[in-house]
Amino acid sequence: MNAGELLERSLAYALGSVAEVVPGGLDRGTPCGEWDLGELLGHLDDSLDALHEGLTGGRIGLFPRVIGAADPACAFRTRACAVLGAWAAGPGERVRVGELPLDVRVMAAVGAVEIAVHGWDVAQACGRPRPIPRPLAADLLPVARCVVAEEDRGVRFGAPVAVPPYAGPDARLLAFLGRRDSFPG
């Protein structure tokens, strides 16, 4: 799997979701527990900032910078383009997260999961559900299974949700990450 391609596909999907954000709608609820849409977009902006920091500087700080934007949807689009440009410029092979080294492809793949799943959350919050494309979800599911540990449940992710055996990779990915609305009834 090409991590850069995976990152690009996730960003393209999330950009489509963020296009549905309307002025005045930032207080809408999201599938992300206690976050409203504005807070979710702020979290996405922070995630993109960390990716950009890792791609351009080879290091990700452990504490997010306080960014805050008057138009968080516009900020997301701008930072998404910056992340794509940084990847295209040719990142190094390693990035440091705090003091720990990490393969830059792993960082990109984990970032792709974060971006796509929160892109789904944004679409849900906007009342314009958009399924994650099945080929993208099929590529992201093994990444999620590798990086989400049982200790993450209840802290960063909800408990996995049961889906029927015939559920597609998009529903399985979302259900694995605790999204309760991942499978239409």
Side-chain angles (χ1 to χ4, degrees), residues 31-47:
C32 300
E34 298 178 14
W35 285 353
D36 65 22
L37 183 54
E39 292 164 328
L40 174 60
L41 289 169
H43 171 72
L44 268 169
D45 192 40
D46 178 54
S47 296

Side-chain angles (χ1 to χ4, degrees), residues 83-116:
V83 167
L84 287 172
W87 184 272
E93 291 183 23
R94 300 282 233 193
V95 62
R96 294 191 77 72
V97 180
E99 294 304 315
L100 301 174
L102 180 68
D103 187 295
V104 74
R105 295 168 300 182
V106 172
M107 178 193 72
V110 171
V113 171
E114 169 99 353
I115 291 161

Side-chain angles (χ1 to χ4, degrees), residues 81-160:
C81 291
V83 167
L84 287 172
W87 184 272
E93 291 183 23
R94 300 282 233 193
V95 62
R96 294 191 77 72
V97 180
E99 294 304 315
L100 301 174
L102 180 68
D103 187 295
V104 74
R105 295 168 300 182
V106 172
M107 178 193 72
V110 171
V113 171
E114 169 99 353
I115 291 161
V117 172
H118 283 320
W120 182 86
D121 294 330
V122 168
Q124 294 291 110
C126 290
R128 309 280 286 219
R130 297 178 67 231
I132 296 174
R134 286 181 170 220
L136 174 59
D139 289 341
L140 294 173
L141 185 56
V143 176
R145 287 185 173 149
C146 282
V147 298
V148 176
E150 218 30 63
E151 308 81 68
D152 294 320
R153 304 293 180 176
V155 178
R156 294 185 301 178
F157 301 97

